[in-house]
Amino acid sequence: MNLIDEKLISGKVIAVSMSNTHTFSKENRNKIKLISGYGVEGDAHFGTTVKHRSRVAQNPNQPNLRQVHIIQSELFDELKDRFDIKPGQLGENITTRGINLLELPTDTILHIGEEAIIQITGLRNPCPQIDHFKPGLLQAVIDKDSEGNLIRKAGIMGIVLKSGEVSSNDSIRIQLPPKPYRKLERV
C-alpha cells in the first residue's frame, strides 16, 4: 500500500451535502450535523442499521458502516475533461480537498472541524445508478492496478464516533490507526 506521507496528513472540507430521501445526488448545505453512532442528522442514511436499499433487502439488521460518504474533490478534477461534477452530485455528505482518501487505511480517524470525529470503514462501491446520473461515469470511477485488482475511486465510507457540526472550510486532521495498516475494502 502506498500510504500518504504521515507528516502531511491534513486537508479541508470544501462542501457538505445531505438528502432526507434516497436520491442519488445530495443538496449542498451551509453545514451538516454528525450524530455519534447514527451519521448525518436528517440524511436518508441516518441510523445504526444499514439504510442503503440494496443492503436493507439483504439484511436490514446489519450495522450501518456507511453513515457518512466522503469523496475527494480531486476526483472531479481528474474527470473534468469528460464530466462536469459538482460537490454532492455523487451522493457524498462531505467533499474534501488535499487528502488522498483512497490511500488511507481502514480505521483511520478523521477529526473534522472543532468536534466531529469519523472512523473510516471502507470504500464506496459505485453502483450502476451512477450511469443514470451521467452515462459512462461508472467506468470512469473504476480502474485496475498493475496486478489487475479493482480500484474504486468513488469515495470512502465512515461511521461517526463523536458528534459535531461540519461546514465547508473546516479543517480535517488525520489520525492513522496502529500498524499494520489494513487496506480499504468495499463496504
Side-chain angles (χ1 to χ4, degrees):
M1 181 183 309
N2 180 20
L3 281 175
I4 59 177
D5 181 350
E6 293 187 30
K7 298 178 190 101
L8 235 178
I9 313 179
S10 65
K12 74 175 192 168
V13 174
I14 65 161
V16 293
S17 312
M18 64 156 283
S19 176
N20 59 4
T21 61
H22 285 278
T23 57
F24 181 76
S25 296
K26 295 182 186 282
E27 185 179 322
N28 290 329
R29 308 289 178 142
N30 291 327
K31 63 184 173 184
I32 57 174
K33 185 169 186 178
L34 303 183
I35 305 296
S36 178
Y38 290 89
V40 179
E41 185 176 63
D43 193 78
H45 292 95
F46 185 78
T48 58
T49 56
V50 69
K51 301 301 178 198
H52 194 274
R53 290 185 286 190
S54 66
R55 291 168 190 252
V56 167
Q58 293 171 357
N59 175 2
N61 299 315
Q62 59 188 309
N64 188 2
L65 301 178
R66 300 165 54 98
Q67 294 174 359
V68 183
H69 176 202
I70 308 165
I71 202 165
Q72 58 197 37
S73 62
E74 288 83 354
L75 174 64
F76 307 157
D77 299 341
E78 177 186 330
L79 301 173
K80 71 181 174 192
D81 58 340
R82 296 175 285 161
F83 303 97
D84 181 26
I85 303 170
K86 305 277 187 266
Q89 288 185 323
L90 295 185
E92 76 274 13
N93 301 110
I94 300 173
T95 311
T96 68
R97 179 154 298 275
I99 302 168
N100 188 342
L101 299 172
L102 304 178
E103 287 189 1
L104 295 173
T106 300
D107 295 330
T108 295
I109 303 295
L110 305 178
H111 299 264
I112 304 178
E114 296 295 317
E115 298 177 334
I117 299 176
I118 296 171
Q119 180 178 5
I120 297 173
T121 55
L123 294 167
R124 176 193 187 190
N125 189 37
C127 68
Q129 274 188 332
I130 203 167
D131 275 342
H132 297 297
F133 172 65
K134 296 211 185 249
L137 187 55
L138 179 60
Q139 203 57 41
V141 297
I142 295 176
D143 206 349
K144 296 223 176 188
D145 66 16
S146 58
E147 287 95 45
N149 298 311
L150 194 62
I151 299 172
R152 294 170 175 90
K153 300 183 197 178
I156 61 173
M157 307 305 286
I159 58 172
V160 180
L161 296 181
K162 185 175 180 216
S163 301
E165 289 186 348
V166 178
S167 305
S168 52
N169 292 318
D170 277 353
S171 65
I172 303 170
R173 295 167 318 285
I174 295 175
Q175 178 183 341
L176 293 172
K179 291 182 180 181
Y181 297 140
R182 289 185 301 128
K183 184 177 178 178
L184 290 174
E185 298 291 336
R186 171 178 73 93
V187 293

